[in-house]
Amino acid sequence: MLWLIQLLFPLALLLWLAFLPARNMLARIFQSLGTAAILLGLHLAGLWITPPWWTPWIYWVLFAIAVWRGWRMQTRPGVAAADYALILFWAGLSGFGGWVSSEALVARTAPPGEIADLAAPLAAGRYYVASGGSREIVSSHLRTLPRATIGQQNYWGQSYGVDITAMNQWGLTASESTAVLAPCAGRVVRSHDGDADGSPVDLSSPTARAGNYALIRCGQFDILLAHFRKGSLRVAPGDLVREGQPIAALGNSGASDLPHLHIHAQRPGTQAAPFSGKPVPMRINGRFLVRGDRL
Ligand SMILES: [Zn+2]
């Protein structure tokens, strides 16, 4: 599905612009605008892991070539009925691409109110933010914000969460083991280990989606770090951790379909549902992280 939306769709639009540009000048302007708006929306809001983050830059080069090629072809004067249909179609795509782009840009601003300032939760390396930001288009975590269902209530605390994946030097998913670090000094209040990557998750459980995890209380906030590799957890409830202390290895346990670290800040939840506390936006090394950011 991702390949279809982020690879075939933009390539089809670029081929269209390069080889079958609208014959009418106005229609061609709208075609160029619509193509650019879709590329921008995909660039800003897309999940660029496979294909990797630099793919949209290739699209921009192809776009420049397509526009240049298209403008060299002759245009036909006068606006025919078919041209109006094309103009309408491309105006629609422009609007859609513009809306997606603006949502992705607005998502870069943290919600107002308190914010948790944290240190890096991962050892030095290359990372890609797969999910994060203040709009649902770039962070599916926000689906729990309305608290309309029991499931959403149990996981309310994760609503401003961030997912981080490890990359190799080409921007593709890294396979080597990555250390997860305590992002603040505090005390471990809960933890779990023993879930294998990809094993089925009991969706009715208030904690199972996190897989192997550590919940660390730092001052007034609880910080959840989740989806650790089975057997990698090095801390237990009651342990004091210092900022930067290795606590586990990045993994794919719990509700996770690619190896990543989930991190979020919240007010403490209940004993029965520890991730049900009030969600708190965070900054990591001073940055409010949004999908597409690289660390
Ligand atoms: Zn997450």
Side-chain angles (χ1 to χ4, degrees):
M1 191 61 185
L2 220 56
W3 283 87
L4 204 68
I5 296 171
Q6 297 189 185
L7 211 63
L8 298 184
F9 181 45
L11 285 177
L13 293 185
L14 287 165
L15 287 172
W16 191 351
L17 186 64
F19 296 103
L20 286 169
R23 296 288 311 278
N24 170 265
M25 178 58 87
L26 190 62
R28 191 175 296 179
I29 288 171
F30 271 93
Q31 181 177 13
S32 306
L33 270 179
T35 304
I38 292 294
L39 291 183
L40 187 64
L42 286 172
H43 193 166
L44 296 174
L47 178 63
W48 297 104
I49 296 175
T50 39
W53 63 268
W54 40 263
T55 313
W57 294 106
I58 295 179
Y59 295 161
W60 289 120
V61 172
L62 295 176
F63 177 74
I65 295 171
V67 169
W68 171 75
R69 203 192 134 81
W71 285 105
R72 287 171 70 227
M73 292 186 190
Q74 268 197 338
T75 52
R76 169 169 46 72
V79 186
D83 296 328
Y84 283 118
L86 269 180
I87 288 168
L88 260 179
F89 171 77
W90 289 111
L93 277 192
S94 302
F96 179 67
W99 173 77
V100 170
S101 305
S102 70
E103 283 288 291
L105 289 172
V106 168
R108 309 199 68 81
T109 305
E114 61 183 359
I115 194 157
D117 269 299
L118 302 173
L122 292 159
R126 288 186 184 82
Y127 301 100
Y128 176 86
V129 177
S131 184
S134 58
R135 282 288 190 275
E136 208 172 307
I137 201 163
V138 285
S139 186
S140 54
H141 296 109
L142 287 158
R143 283 179 202 157
T144 52
L145 202 56
R147 282 201 296 173
T149 66
I150 299 285
Q152 288 174 344
Q153 286 160 21
N154 284 340
Y155 289 91
W156 192 37
Q158 67 107 48
S159 301
Y160 295 121
V162 166
D163 293 333
I164 304 172
T165 62
M167 296 187 291
N168 63 21
Q169 62 265 47
W170 296 288
L172 300 165
T173 310
S175 49
E176 69 268 24
S177 181
T178 303
V180 175
L181 316 177
C184 49
R187 187 172 50 84
V188 178
V189 286
R190 281 181 86 122
S191 65
H192 176 76
D193 198 353
D195 291 0
D197 285 4
S199 59
V201 176
D202 173 10
L203 294 178
S204 65
S205 154
T207 56
R209 287 169 194 248
N212 306 317
Y213 70 86
L215 186 65
I216 305 174
R217 185 154 301 163
C218 299
Q220 56 201 349
F221 302 129
D222 277 5
I223 311 299
L224 178 69
L225 300 132
H227 308 308
F228 302 151
R229 183 157 49 80
K230 182 184 175 182
S232 71
L233 186 70
R234 299 198 209 172
V235 294
D239 287 1
L240 289 172
V241 292
R242 61 189 158 71
E243 185 184 298
Q245 180 180 331
I247 57 167
L250 189 136
N252 198 18
S253 60
S256 170
D257 45 22
L258 80 167
H260 77 280
L261 173 71
H262 167 95
I263 177 171
H264 80 242
Q266 60 169 80
R267 290 284 183 164
T270 62
Q271 192 67 27
F275 311 148
S276 65
K278 180 177 179 277
V280 177
M282 27 170 212
R283 272 189 297 249
I284 292 175
N285 281 341
R287 291 171 74 187
F288 177 70
L289 296 177
V290 178
R291 172 187 281 171
D293 283 346
R294 280 174 289 129
L295 312 174

